[in-house]
Each structure stands twice: as C-alpha cells, then as structure tokens.
Amino acid sequence: MNEPFTHAIPILHTLHEHGYQAYFVGGAVRDVLLGREIGDIDIATDATPDVVESLFDKTVDVGKEHGTVIVLLDGVSYEVTTFRTESEYEDFRRPKEVAFISSLKEDLLRRDLTINAVAMDIHGDIIDHVGGKRDIKRRRIQTVGDPACRFQEDSLRMMRAVRFLSQLGFELSKETEEAMKKDKHLLANISVERKKIEMEKLLKGRYCEQAIKVLISTKLYEELPGLKDQLNETFQAFPYYLLDGLDEVWGAFIHLLGLDEAEAVSFLKEWKLSTKLLKEAVAISKYVDCDWDAEKMFEAGEHVLLSSMKITQLKHERRIFFDELEAAKRSYDALPIKQLQDLAVSGKDLMAFRQKPAGKWIAEELASVKKAVLQNQLENRKEAIEEWLIACDQRLEND
Ligand code: ATP
Ligand code: MG
C-alpha cells in the first residue's frame, strides 16, 4: 500500500478494534488506481460522528450533522465520514437530511461519479460496486446510476464531472453528456460559491482546454456567472493550468474574455471573489501585453509585473520563459524606489522647502520627482532633489 495510506492505517485499526467498519474512499483511492499523486485521504465508517470523536484524541468538528469529523494523526488531517444516504434534496441543492447507515455499498451508491465511488480496505483490496475501476481504466467519467436523476438531486455534479475531466483528461460517457445538455439549466439553482470552487479547480486542471470545450459544447457555460455572451476563441485556447495563483488564473480569464476594467470588476463580483483577489486579478489583467518601462514596473509592483508577463508569454507562445521573468525581476530589483515612501523627500519636506500650504501641487510635484528618479535622471537624495526642483523652476521662468 502507498505511503500516505499506511500512515492512516492506525485510524482504520482503531475503528475496527471497536467493532466498526472503516475504508479508504473517494479521490485518494481513485488517484492511487491512476498512479497519480494522492491528495487528502478520506475515510468512511459506520461509526457515528460522536463515536469517532470519542475514539480519537485529536478531532475537529467540520460538519458532524453531515457525518464528517476530522481526525488528526501525526499532524496530518483525515476526513472521517459516516456512511450515509442523502435521501431528500432541497431545491436541487444540498441534501436536506442525511441518514447515517451501516452499509458501505449504500454509501458508495450515493457518490457522484463512478471513479469517485471506489473504496479500499485496510489490506489494499478494492471494493467496487459501480464499475469505478473499469471507468478509471477506460478513462470514462459517468455518474453512479442514472445521470438525469443524479443531476436532479444535485446539479453541481455536472460541474464536478467537467472539473474531473479537466484534472484527469478523461472523457464523459455519452449518457452523462446527454443528460448535461438536457438539464444544464438546473445549474442555475446552485450557489455561486459552490460553482466557483469547481470552476477554479477546472481552470487549474491539466486538461482545462478540453474542459472548456465541454463547458461550451454542453452549453453549461450559459449557467455560469457572466459567461453567457462572453465566449471567444482566445479565451478557450489558453493553458490556465500553467499559472500559479488564483489571481493569475482569474486575471488571465478576464483578459482573454476581453473585458475592460469596469466589466472585469462586475464579472468578478458576480463570481463573488474576495476583494483582495478581485483587485489582484484586475491589476494583473491590466498589464498583460504591456510595454514595460521603469514607471510601469513601479506602478505594477513585482508580483503583478511577473504574473502579467507570464500570461503574456502563454498567450503568445504557450510557454513560460523563465529567463525573461528572471530578467524582469532583476530590472525590478534595480529600480531606485519601489514605493512613493522610498523617495528621499516627503510631502512635508516639499511644504517646508516651498514654504507653501498643502494642496494638489504636492502630489503633482512628488509625481514629477518620482518620474525623474525612476528614469535615473535624478539621484534619490534630498539635496539633489531640491537642486533639481530649483533648476526646474528656473527653466520654467526662462520659458
Ligand atoms: P479532490 O482531489 O479534489 O479532493 P475528491 O474526489 O476527493 O477530489 P471531494 O470534492 O473532496 O473530491 O469529495 C470527496 C468525495 O465525496 C468524492 O470523491 C465523492 O465520492 C463524494 N462527493 C463529493 N461531492 C459530491 C456530490 N456533490 N455528490 C455526491 N458525491 C460527492
Ligand atoms: Mg477530497
């Protein structure tokens, strides 16, 4: 058995010792069968959340009413979830009530996709009631059971299917794809927050371009915030997965959609991005295709400079040129000032020097000093700046 699983075996042992069933389930089992790197390990058991809490020293309640308790072992957290069914669904959203059950099989049958519904026991043996292993082998994404029913219950599963397609490079089964086309409007019932989580994972997937094609061919995109009338080809053919942070991903997204600043802000607000992420994405997008000089580098700041440069490279060449990024970083490091406060004179200094009360002139004068310093026409030293200001005054008088 693989390393991350062997670490979690004591949890299964403890549950077994107390007479409970316990299995590895979900993404980690899928990924081990695929030979992919394993993410978080999820464990399913027939012990109730209260029992799980009582059996382990360190636990965190992250949704006991839905059956989930986090168990911490040697600093690693494991989600331990009680077998459950999700009988009643409220407005196509989350299950209204979950019923805890004692059958692993029933628990696997409530899961979204066959590839996500395979369990593994403590010996590494696979339990598969839904053909998940076969679908992993033939790289097929399909729902557990009838897709139309499963999408009726929770239509976010449509987005999840395309998100896994993006991460794994699999294909949708015909039935699943047809049901999506037919029922795509159900996605309108899902909260933006839930859609955003899947969209961000989708864009960061290695096969994001195929996934975007599927969003378009199934018309799912029409149910996503702000996308109904926005699609264009540049936006589709972009390797978002080569970017790093979500600010870069959203920055590239709004740039390639061709949105201006105001449109980008309202688009990202529709997606309910945090203010910080929104601002960063908009700033990054603004500098894509920029002709850089010292002043623009100063304005943008290092992070925005490097992020927007990366997007520009990917847009035109589909690859990142690390040597160019290194060179840009060196140019940035060499700037004589990185922020206005780094200037050797402040607004107060200027007021004292000019013997003038505060006013709009301060910002204007600081801006021209900043410009001259950034262009290396002026040394960033108080006396040098004062001499330069006097020389400017004299030039103005002579003109
Ligand atoms: P990741 O590597 O992104 O964490 P994952 O497969 O673990 O992938 P999660 O979103 O963490 O995905 O969900 C854990 C498991 O819970 C899934 O593998 C699936 O079995 C089940 N699951 C998650 N969301 C749903 C849903 N909306 N409907 C049914 N089952 C779901
Ligand atoms: Mg997971």
Side-chain angles (χ1 to χ4, degrees):
M1 203 182 291
N2 287 41
E3 254 283 282
F5 288 107
T6 51
H7 268 118
I9 280 185
I11 300 181
L12 271 62
H13 258 306
T14 303
L15 286 159
H16 288 174
E17 272 169 14
H18 289 82
Y20 297 101
Q21 309 171 54
Y23 297 89
F24 297 114
V25 286
V29 180
R30 177 198 66 225
D31 290 341
V32 79
L33 290 174
L34 269 170
R36 283 177 103 225
E37 200 186 320
I38 293 155
D40 297 342
I41 291 188
D42 296 327
I43 294 166
T45 178
D46 58 344
T48 61
D50 287 334
V51 171
V52 174
E53 273 184 340
S54 71
L55 292 180
F56 298 96
D57 290 342
K58 291 185 188 153
T59 60
V60 187
D61 175 358
V62 285
K64 265 168 72 179
E65 66 286 5
H66 288 104
T68 306
V69 172
I70 282 186
V71 174
L72 289 157
L73 187 69
D74 299 330
V76 183
S77 58
Y78 300 93
E79 270 194 17
V80 179
T81 305
T82 309
F83 298 158
R84 63 185 200 206
T85 55
E86 300 170 355
S87 38
E88 261 187 280
Y89 283 80
E90 208 172 14
D91 307 334
F92 315 98
R93 288 166 214 237
R94 291 182 182 281
K96 197 160 127 194
E97 252 178 73
V98 305
F100 298 140
I101 52 172
S102 58
S103 152
L104 170 70
K105 184 175 175 185
E106 289 296 309
D107 181 76
L108 295 176
L109 289 177
R110 62 110 185 146
R111 290 173 186 268
D112 54 354
L113 306 170
T114 57
I115 59 167
N116 289 344
V118 180
M120 185 167 81
D121 71 12
I122 198 163
H123 309 293
D125 292 328
I126 295 296
I127 299 107
D128 179 11
H129 296 288
V130 297
K133 216 171 142 181
R134 177 203 59 207
D135 286 341
I136 289 172
K137 207 160 169 207
R138 61 181 187 180
R139 308 175 72 76
R140 181 77 45 93
I141 292 178
Q142 61 183 348
T143 55
V144 175
D146 177 40
C149 296
R150 303 313 307 284
F151 293 154
Q152 285 281 339
E153 287 171 357
D154 178 3
S155 55
L156 185 75
R157 291 172 185 153
M158 299 190 224
M159 280 290 284
R160 286 179 57 84
V162 188
R163 181 263 272 201
F164 284 110
L165 181 155
S166 179
Q167 293 177 324
L168 305 172
F170 287 13
E171 281 182 15
L172 295 179
S173 77
K174 264 266 144 320
E175 270 188 320
T176 299
E177 187 173 358
E178 287 310 312
M180 267 185 198
K181 285 183 180 163
K182 216 162 124 274
D183 291 331
K184 63 169 180 84
H185 61 278
L186 294 175
L187 208 51
N189 301 307
I190 298 290
S191 73
V192 174
E193 287 84 353
R194 290 182 82 202
K195 286 182 200 164
K196 180 172 63 181
I197 293 172
E198 297 303 327
M199 190 64 181
E200 289 176 340
K201 289 187 176 175
L202 186 157
L203 289 173
K204 292 230 71 186
R206 167 68 184 80
Y207 303 91
C208 61
E209 286 159 291
Q210 276 102 304
I212 291 172
K213 281 199 183 114
V214 172
L215 285 184
I216 295 167
S217 65
T218 54
K219 299 217 163 95
L220 275 188
Y221 76 92
E222 292 184 355
E223 309 301 329
L224 297 176
L227 282 180
K228 201 170 166 83
D229 307 309
Q230 285 295 355
L231 292 192
N232 64 51
E233 272 168 32
T234 341
F235 147 75
Q236 294 162 40
F238 186 87
Y240 297 93
Y241 67 94
L242 291 174
L243 295 169
D244 294 311
L246 284 172
D247 53 350
E248 293 182 1
V249 171
W250 286 108
F253 201 67
I254 53 180
H255 173 80
L256 294 162
L257 283 173
L259 305 181
D260 67 25
E261 196 167 329
E263 289 165 340
V265 168
S266 60
F267 176 79
L268 297 179
K269 274 191 180 158
E270 269 195 75
W271 276 98
K272 301 207 174 164
L273 258 63
S274 69
T275 312
K276 183 166 178 268
L277 186 54
L278 182 149
K279 279 193 180 149
E280 276 167 6
V282 171
I284 289 170
S285 148
K286 187 171 137 191
Y287 288 98
V288 176
D289 288 329
C290 173
D291 254 338
W292 292 101
D293 58 25
E295 268 186 278
K296 287 196 177 119
M297 284 196 262
F298 171 91
E299 258 173 46
E302 184 178 9
H303 177 68
V304 170
L305 160 71
L306 297 177
S307 296
S308 56
M309 205 169 221
K310 226 188 283 176
I311 296 169
T312 309
Q313 294 172 347
L314 288 172
K315 180 180 161 189
H316 298 288
E317 311 284 346
R318 287 190 65 84
R319 54 170 287 215
I320 293 173
F321 295 88
F322 290 99
D323 50 342
E324 271 182 27
L325 295 182
E326 278 298 317
K329 186 173 164 14
R330 280 196 299 275
S331 306
Y332 181 83
D333 288 342
L335 290 180
I337 52 168
K338 306 288 190 294
Q339 47 190 350
L340 215 48
Q341 290 93 305
D342 296 342
L343 272 184
V345 296
S346 64
K348 264 202 186 130
D349 294 331
L350 287 183
M351 275 159 68
F353 173 69
R354 292 288 193 201
Q355 303 275 307
K356 258 168 70 175
K360 224 171 77 191
W361 66 272
I362 297 182
E364 287 165 5
E365 197 139 90
L366 279 176
S368 50
V369 171
K370 175 197 82 181
K371 188 171 176 180
V373 168
L374 281 170
Q375 292 176 343
N376 283 325
Q377 292 166 357
L378 171 59
E379 200 188 335
N380 187 26
R381 193 165 50 80
K382 198 171 175 194
E383 298 74 35
I385 293 172
E386 286 174 356
E387 278 167 29
W388 182 82
L389 287 171
I390 292 167
C392 286
D393 292 346
Q394 282 170 354
R395 229 176 298 136
L396 271 178
E397 274 166 28
N398 295 340
D399 278 349

